[in-house]
Amino acid sequence: MTATTRLATPRRYRDRLARLALGSALLMTLIAPALASASATPDMSPQASQEALSKADATTLKTSPNDSRDYRLLTLDNGLTVLLVSDSEADKAAASMNIDVGSSNDPKDLAGLAHFLEHMLFLGTDAYPAADAYQSFINQHGGNHNAFTASQDTNYFFDIEPDALSGALDRFSQFFIAPRFNADKLESERNVVHSEYQARLRDDGRRENDALDQVLNPDNPTTGFSVGSRATLTLPEDAETPLRQRVIEFFKAHYGAGVMHLALVAPQPLDDLEALVRERFAAIPNRGLSRAKVDAPLVRPDSLPLSLEVASLRDERQLRFYFPVPDPEPFYATKPASYIANLLGHEGQGSLLEQLREAGLADGLSAGVGRGDGTHALFTVGISLTPEGARQIPRIQESLFAAIDRIRQQGLDPWRYQEQARLAEQEFRFQQHGDPQHDATRLAMNLAHYPSRDAQFAPYRMDGFDEARTKDYLAALTPDNLLRVYRAPDVEGTATSPWFDAPYRIDQAPDWASASPIGELSLPEPNPYIAKDLSLGDVENAAPKRLLKTQGAEVWHQANVDFDTPKVEWRFSLQHPAAAANARDAALTRLLAGWLNDSLNETLYPARLAGHQFNAYAHARGMTLAFSGWRDRQPRLIERVLTQLTQGEITEDSVERVHHQLEREWRNAPEAALYQQANRALGEALLRPQWPAATLLDAIDDLDAEALRDYRDSYLGALHLEAMAVGDLSAETARATGESVITILAPTLDAKAVPDLEPLDISSALPNLHPHSTRQDSLVLRYLQGQNRSLDEQARLAVLGQLISTPFYTRLRTEQQLGYIVSASYMPLLEAPGMSLLVQSPDTDSEMIGQRITAFLDEFDQTLADLDDATLAPYRQAVHDSLLERDTSLGALANRQWQALARDDIGFDQRERLAERVSAITPAALREAWAELRKAPAANITFDPGDSPSDLLALTADLRPLPDAN
């Protein structure tokens, strides 16, 4: 349950069009659009459009020609819009309800009320009054659930075993029909919301957004405080209407069937799904509501140009250029703003980013539209600066406007639009669906923002080049219409933002300093990497098979056409015995992988846009080269990368950029979310080799291009290679590619020459281990480790993790209100089974948290003592089914098989064998395993503000590897 703020570059919802790691910039244009309301045409409201098209949409939903799923659009008698998706191959069922209300609808005297209401709906209904009735049912049947509140949307979602869908919908639908709003839960849930707010106080993105809100138009309702706190959710003692009644009034004023949009993805036939929905959701009242229209502009017309500087906590420098524009979502069918953002955000040769990188001023750039409210939005260009870039902001600004002018003069070419449209069509044609929960949430949000017929097609739709409207957007990108934001740790503020305590200062009428643009900018040439042969190959599904084995290499192949796409996933693991033997070598391996990515950035950016992805990443055994994309032209990409790795010039400027990025990452590690730091500390303590960020930071200090050149020579001179291809590729073609790679890399080492990553045995009591953190919360992560790495032990602990999850959450979060971040789950480290019990609290110290965890574990002893097979059965089945969940994309299948290969599971059946053992688990076996866990030493990661970081390597130096089996 999360309140999302309207960040300048929103993580989930923004219309992001550039700098993509796993997909073309073009295709992220409008996916999951929670930024603004939309309509079919600019002069037609979303509600009017939906009403006009509702009957036709039932038969005209636009789907991919390769999409074998069945769809049905409904509008119930109460006005609820429903999209049903029957996927006969799905092994989970999922639902998502999107409501056209969010934090922008908060009353002025109760900031955070929409988010607070979202929390309250989980805490019991008339039909299911127990506070954990919904959560327990979902967990018992192998599911997950959550919700989020955005500026203009609130979304609730879950997934579950298909056989339990009926019961889940029974409980879910009652949220919107008869919630109890229990008076005895108001105070506890207000504390939970406050804990959520406190957990994000040191988030630099929220701090910047809080400062930005201070210079935007206060009359625009999207500029308020969205999360809520004890203070904002507490009414005066003499208030005429108590808080509970205000919550009920808000619910009735904003929750109605006419502004709700339900998406359901499940393996059941459409008729069965329709019956489930009609029976359970028809009782939601239609209160005659519509999405609120925002009239007040985001930026006051007389306030620009304006400069805002914000102090950051992290050691990073971000520069953003905001231009007020009309919200482009009504024009989703032609995407004029997206067209501009693609050109500005291009990273290829001659691009703005290339020039900034070459000058040593920046290492990242993004462009897109954010903070849309249905009428207004901000066109945003964000640039990640180097320290030198922070000293040359005027030149960077002039270069940006030079790039905009170049687009005005030379970039309005129909062929460029047609190229983007062609790429969009290819991706839509071979669209790979995500897991059912992701799909349901995406579709419910799209129903809320687009005509129903385009719920699937909207992100890809490009009907034609709208030159006039594109020029209108370009006309808004001027110095006089600019709100510039600079965020850095050395900013000295003259004021402090009200909710996230960010120092900031404003220049109300900046006289933009004149400067010369950097370098000669050019627009992209036609993309040479666009696939031409998109026919499916003549292959059939097969089990993974080893095609090649030499002294120094193995090449595996699995033909797979389940996803009806002419794509292939290749993985090449270049393993070296000393890749992480010490911190210096670990840092050099990271530097080598980073250099390879960086040095190919401009060259391969067109390939990424065309659907060919490449990434090099370092790990404990060396470095992996991962390729993903169309079969056509992929060998050309692989050859180019290997040529660069083996022969490319390692330049000072490229190494300096990567060096700076790694230093920044490791220096900022203490600013990460506290629970993330705790999990990282656990891995650093119990896995070998593993190096803490501070150790790597020290090690990289004196590494330069010359050191990297020497390391590359020694690294490539002693390799073992493991490779795998998965997808629409024949064994003959895979063998040819494998032989070519072996010829280029000439690996000579046997696999046994490369040490494994080993989990350590907590064989004796450890002191409390403290992560390196600057956070102000307290935390305990208690880790209970299994006795060995056997499948039997993994099975027992996995089922215990399923059993303990909900009661731990209910007791320590809902009832004891220790904090917002509370979880208990099965958490193996590699193949070492273990259970993680984690609580992060803003106002309870670690000693008290530890006592509460121990008290809960004592109570759980009795729970297990009373456990019978009938009670255990659904939890056991949930774990079994989760182990055997289908892969929802070719990439997911490739990653699963690649991980199996890394575990030496060359039968590729470990998950099936583990699932068999889970099915045989008995209550007695769990009681025995639990007794052993309680007796064995645990690892405790603890933190209170001011704690000094532990020397994790020294404190765990005497631990030996966890045995494979008894």
Side-chain angles (χ1 to χ4, degrees):
M1 290 172 280
T2 304
T4 66
T5 57
R6 299 149 309 285
L7 303 181
T9 52
R11 182 178 55 191
R12 271 184 175 171
Y13 315 111
R14 76 174 176 175
D15 175 12
R16 187 182 181 200
L17 306 169
R19 185 86 182 155
L20 299 174
L22 294 174
S24 76
L26 172 65
L27 297 177
M28 289 300 293
T29 304
L30 292 165
I31 292 175
L35 287 176
S37 62
S39 55
T41 58
D43 57 350
M44 199 174 190
S45 71
Q47 293 73 29
S49 171
Q50 294 282 10
E51 292 168 5
L53 294 167
S54 59
K55 293 184 179 179
D57 284 347
T59 57
T60 60
L61 180 73
K62 176 75 171 178
T63 60
S64 165
N66 292 314
D67 190 345
S68 61
R69 306 191 299 183
D70 295 322
Y71 293 82
R72 182 174 296 169
L73 278 161
L74 307 170
T75 300
L76 302 190
D77 291 343
N78 60 359
L80 176 67
T81 306
V82 181
L83 175 56
L84 306 175
V85 184
S86 175
D87 182 352
S88 61
E89 297 180 355
D91 46 24
K92 279 285 185 72
S96 174
M97 179 75 86
N98 199 86
I99 301 97
D100 296 348
V101 61
S103 57
S104 64
N105 302 99
D106 286 343
K108 292 186 180 300
D109 64 332
L110 277 175
L113 183 59
H115 182 213
F116 184 52
L117 169 61
E118 171 222 303
H119 277 244
M120 291 300 300
L121 290 191
F122 283 85
L123 299 178
T125 62
D126 288 349
Y128 298 94
D132 65 347
Y134 171 73
Q135 295 91 318
S136 294
F137 186 86
I138 297 291
N139 179 65
Q140 185 180 15
H141 294 282
N144 298 280
H145 66 87
N146 214 324
F148 60 83
T149 302
S151 175
Q152 295 185 298
D153 296 85
T154 304
N155 191 285
Y156 303 81
F157 54 90
F158 72 85
D159 67 6
I160 199 163
E161 293 171 340
D163 290 346
L165 177 60
S166 175
L169 291 176
D170 282 342
R171 291 158 176 80
F172 186 62
S173 61
Q174 291 299 313
F175 284 17
F176 316 108
I177 297 170
R180 291 181 69 85
F181 301 113
N182 292 317
D184 62 344
K185 298 297 181 185
L186 284 172
E187 178 62 26
S188 62
E189 209 57 29
R190 178 166 52 194
N191 289 338
V192 169
V193 169
H194 184 75
S195 295
E196 181 177 347
Y197 162 53
Q198 293 289 303
R200 289 165 168 76
L201 276 175
R202 295 181 67 84
D203 184 303
D204 270 333
R206 290 178 182 267
R207 287 161 53 87
E208 178 185 333
N209 194 65
D210 193 25
L212 180 62
D213 282 338
Q214 309 316 303
V215 301
L216 296 178
N217 185 0
D219 295 329
N220 184 291
T222 68
T223 63
F225 176 51
S226 61
V227 183
S229 68
R230 286 196 192 104
T232 68
L233 293 171
T234 299
L235 292 168
E237 293 183 3
D238 58 351
E240 294 183 5
T241 307
L243 179 60
R244 180 174 183 271
Q245 188 59 36
R246 292 290 298 275
V247 173
I248 293 171
E249 290 175 357
F250 188 86
F251 175 77
K252 291 181 177 179
H254 296 287
Y255 277 56
V259 291
M260 292 183 175
H261 315 275
L262 176 68
L264 191 60
V265 181
Q268 290 91 330
L270 288 175
D271 288 346
D272 294 353
L273 296 178
E274 180 174 347
L276 286 173
V277 168
R278 288 191 181 278
E279 180 180 348
R280 288 157 180 81
F281 292 87
I284 299 175
N286 186 327
R287 297 186 168 98
L289 306 175
S290 61
R291 184 183 287 275
K293 186 177 186 299
V294 178
D295 294 318
L298 262 173
V299 183
R300 290 171 299 222
D302 59 349
S303 65
L304 299 182
L306 186 146
S307 174
L308 171 67
E309 296 186 359
V310 185
S312 65
L313 298 172
R314 293 169 57 87
D315 182 13
E316 62 182 10
R317 291 155 183 83
Q318 299 289 330
L319 182 64
R320 304 195 206 283
F321 300 89
Y322 294 108
F323 303 91
V325 295
D327 193 321
E329 197 166 285
F331 317 116
Y332 76 94
T334 54
K335 299 181 173 58
S338 304
Y339 175 81
I340 299 168
N342 270 279
L343 294 178
L344 278 178
H346 203 277
E347 299 181 19
Q349 295 176 353
S351 67
L352 173 60
L353 180 58
E354 185 203 38
Q355 296 297 322
L356 295 176
R357 278 163 45 88
E358 288 296 318
L361 305 184
D363 54 23
L365 185 149
S366 65
V369 178
R371 294 194 66 131
D373 61 19
T375 308
H376 323 90
L378 296 176
F379 190 101
T380 307
V381 178
I383 301 175
S384 174
L385 302 179
T386 64
E388 179 60 26
R391 291 187 282 270
Q392 296 198 41
I393 290 176
R395 291 193 71 196
I396 293 172
Q397 180 167 312
E398 285 298 320
S399 299
L400 170 62
F401 284 114
I404 293 170
D405 286 341
R406 181 62 60 96
I407 294 172
R408 289 192 185 105
Q409 296 163 12
Q410 302 176 13
L412 301 181
D413 299 314
W415 73 263
R416 298 183 187 279
Y417 185 92
Q418 291 161 8
E419 183 177 273
Q420 294 182 19
R422 179 182 174 189
L423 294 174
E425 187 278 330
Q426 288 182 356
E427 285 294 335
F428 181 65
R429 177 180 167 192
F430 296 104
Q431 183 183 28
Q432 294 186 56
H433 305 292
D435 63 86
Q437 184 182 92
H438 175 271
D439 271 2
T441 302
R442 174 179 57 85
L443 291 171
M445 295 179 70
N446 284 357
L447 284 174
H449 289 274
Y450 302 121
S452 298
R453 67 170 186 265
D454 279 346
Q456 276 281 34
F457 187 44
Y460 307 90
R461 184 174 174 181
M462 297 187 73
D463 288 354
F465 185 40
D466 188 342
E467 183 173 351
R469 201 172 300 280
T470 303
K471 288 181 176 179
D472 289 342
Y473 277 98
L474 283 168
L477 310 185
T478 66
D480 290 339
N481 195 41
L482 171 62
L483 194 171
R484 191 180 76 191
V485 179
Y486 171 63
R487 186 181 83 206
D490 54 356
V491 169
E492 296 181 1
T494 57
T496 302
S497 68
W499 302 110
F500 289 86
D501 300 327
Y504 69 93
R505 67 168 177 253
I506 302 169
D507 186 347
Q508 293 281 6
D511 181 14
W512 302 125
S514 60
S516 301
I518 300 163
E520 274 295 320
L521 299 173
S522 61
L523 294 169
E525 297 294 322
N527 194 326
Y529 286 96
I530 296 178
K532 294 181 179 179
D533 179 9
L534 295 179
S535 61
L536 294 175
D538 186 19
V539 301
E540 296 181 355
N541 284 355
K545 180 181 179 181
R546 183 163 50 201
L547 297 181
L548 295 168
K549 181 173 174 59
T550 69
Q551 172 64 28
E554 292 188 6
V555 177
W556 292 76
H557 167 253
Q558 181 177 13
N560 184 276
V561 291
D562 282 342
F563 304 98
D564 294 320
T565 181
K567 289 187 175 182
V568 180
E569 300 275 339
W570 270 104
R571 305 288 185 271
F572 300 94
S573 180
L574 283 59
Q575 300 173 9
H576 188 279
N582 54 60
R584 185 177 188 274
D585 284 348
L588 278 165
T589 307
R590 294 281 293 271
L591 197 59
L592 181 62
W595 163 78
L596 184 58
N597 289 323
D598 180 89
S599 64
L600 289 169
N601 187 69
E602 287 80 15
T603 301
L604 296 188
Y605 186 75
R608 297 205 301 272
L609 289 179
H612 294 281
Q613 311 306 324
F614 161 71
N615 183 45
Y617 61 89
H619 47 79
R621 306 188 76 192
M623 175 174 62
T624 290
L625 312 180
F627 297 85
S628 172
W630 308 112
R631 181 189 63 242
D632 183 32
R633 307 197 179 202
Q634 191 179 62
R636 172 182 177 183
L637 178 65
I638 294 173
E639 181 182 357
R640 178 67 185 86
V641 169
L642 291 175
T643 299
Q644 181 69 8
L645 174 62
T646 56
Q647 303 175 27
E649 180 184 3
I650 297 178
T651 62
E652 298 285 349
D653 60 338
S654 182
V655 172
E656 185 177 344
R657 278 194 299 271
V658 179
H659 193 286
H660 170 69
Q661 291 166 1
L662 290 172
E663 277 191 316
R664 185 174 60 195
E665 174 190 341
W666 295 330
R667 188 178 297 115
N668 287 325
E671 288 292 343
L674 182 55
Y675 70 90
Q676 293 173 347
Q677 295 178 54
N679 283 312
R680 175 170 178 158
L682 182 69
E684 291 169 352
L686 296 181
L687 292 174
R688 290 293 182 275
Q690 195 87 326
W691 301 100
T695 305
L696 292 170
L697 185 62
D698 289 340
I700 202 174
D701 184 55
D702 62 348
L703 300 181
D704 55 15
E706 182 177 358
L708 187 60
R709 294 184 198 110
D710 292 340
Y711 183 72
R712 178 176 66 173
D713 292 342
S714 64
Y715 183 90
L716 295 178
L719 283 182
H720 175 75
L721 173 68
E722 287 188 356
M724 174 176 272
V726 179
D728 184 19
L729 187 71
S730 69
E732 292 74 21
T733 304
R735 183 180 289 108
T737 299
E739 289 173 342
S740 174
V741 172
I742 291 173
T743 299
I744 294 171
L745 294 177
T748 58
L749 293 185
D750 186 85
K752 295 178 181 178
V754 183
D756 289 329
L757 186 63
E758 291 274 344
L760 302 182
D761 184 3
I762 311 173
S763 54
S764 58
L766 295 171
N768 288 346
L769 305 175
H770 306 315
H772 187 188
S773 178
T774 60
R775 294 283 173 155
Q776 298 303 303
D777 282 6
S778 294
L779 171 140
V780 173
L781 188 166
R782 185 169 299 178
Y783 189 72
L784 309 179
Q785 187 183 61
Q787 297 180 76
N788 55 62
R789 291 186 249 180
S790 68
L791 289 181
D792 288 329
E793 188 75 348
Q794 292 178 45
R796 288 188 286 265
L797 265 69
V799 176
L800 281 170
Q802 191 75 20
L803 275 167
I804 203 172
S805 175
T806 296
F808 185 83
Y809 179 92
T810 300
R811 179 57 56 89
L812 276 73
R813 184 187 190 272
T814 305
E815 296 176 6
Q816 297 181 3
Q817 306 164 45
L818 292 185
Y820 171 67
I821 299 172
V822 176
S823 68
S825 63
Y826 176 60
M827 192 177 80
L829 296 177
L830 301 179
E831 294 180 282
M835 289 176 54
S836 166
L837 309 164
L838 184 145
V839 176
Q840 179 178 323
S841 176
D843 46 26
T844 303
D845 63 28
S846 64
E847 182 177 1
M848 178 58 68
I849 294 173
Q851 293 173 9
R852 297 288 182 88
I853 291 176
T854 299
F856 170 82
L857 295 179
D858 292 341
E859 296 171 8
F860 197 68
D861 291 345
Q862 187 60 47
T863 300
L864 286 179
D866 297 338
L867 183 69
D868 58 30
D869 197 69
T871 304
L872 172 61
Y875 296 96
R876 184 173 55 209
Q877 189 65 41
V879 175
H880 173 276
D881 292 349
S882 69
L883 286 168
L884 300 182
E885 283 181 9
R886 68 166 183 167
D887 301 296
T888 57
S889 68
L890 184 62
L893 170 63
N895 287 337
R896 178 170 63 81
Q897 303 294 49
W898 185 239
Q899 291 165 12
L901 192 60
R903 296 191 303 264
D904 291 326
D905 175 24
I906 59 174
F908 298 91
D909 63 348
Q910 179 172 306
R911 67 171 190 163
E912 287 78 11
R913 291 184 285 120
L914 180 56
E916 288 179 6
R917 285 164 170 77
V918 166
S919 294
I921 292 291
T922 64
L926 290 186
R927 284 189 281 269
E928 180 182 351
W930 182 252
E932 294 295 335
L933 282 177
R934 295 300 310 274
K935 287 190 302 183
N940 286 284
I941 310 295
T942 68
F943 182 79
D944 292 301
D947 279 352
S948 298
S950 299
D951 187 339
L952 300 173
L953 300 182
L955 291 173
T956 57
D958 294 333
L959 300 184
R960 305 271 75 82
L962 186 71
D964 290 332
N966 287 330

